[in-house]
Amino acid sequence: MGIQVVVTEDAERDLEDIVTYIAKHDSPANAQRVLSRILEIADSLAVAATRGSQPRELRGLGDQEYRQVLFKPYRLIYRVVGQRVAIYLIADGRRDMQSLLARRLLGG
């Protein structure tokens, strides 16, 4: 059995918010394109889960469990545990990622 990719409820909400924002402020077609591409990237983690880099904001705090893959400007933050990849955060990388990551992943 291969690696299972799971999107947490928080990450699902992140993705819904991104798609809604793009549809409203740009176009539904672009929102669908971004959604499709992000889902493709998420699914690809089943094949190469450890390919992502460590988020610099977390590396600076000494946390090396989380990884990220990019679809600029979006960042998918995830962790590999055994045969499972859990995506915890999907966010526009132009946001205050230090605070967002600390709050969402480190409980700070």
Side-chain angles (χ1 to χ4, degrees):
M1 185 168 153
I3 292 178
Q4 177 187 20
V5 178
V6 177
V7 179
T8 65
E9 287 183 23
D10 285 340
E12 282 183 14
R13 276 192 297 277
D14 295 338
L15 190 52
E16 288 172 9
D17 290 347
I18 289 167
V19 170
T20 299
Y21 181 87
I22 294 170
K24 182 177 179 182
H25 293 91
D26 188 355
S27 73
N30 279 340
Q32 185 59 46
R33 182 185 62 77
V34 168
L35 172 63
S36 295
R37 187 65 183 122
I38 288 174
L39 292 175
E40 285 174 19
I41 291 167
D43 288 343
S44 74
L45 292 172
V47 177
T50 59
R51 79 170 191 267
S53 62
Q54 294 176 340
R56 67 183 181 283
E57 298 89 352
L58 295 176
R59 191 174 52 238
L61 297 172
D63 188 296
Q64 298 180 2
E65 291 184 36
Y66 293 95
R67 304 184 83 71
Q68 68 180 351
V69 288
L70 307 174
F71 171 54
K72 288 191 176 188
Y74 304 104
R75 294 167 65 179
L76 285 74
I77 310 293
Y78 67 96
R79 186 170 68 172
V80 180
V81 179
Q83 294 296 306
R84 185 171 178 255
V85 173
I87 299 173
Y88 292 95
L89 177 75
I90 302 171
D92 186 321
R94 297 170 290 193
R95 292 180 61 183
D96 177 1
M97 293 300 288
Q98 184 78 36
S99 297
L100 182 59
L101 291 170
R103 197 171 50 251
R104 179 82 62 90
L105 303 178
L106 304 177

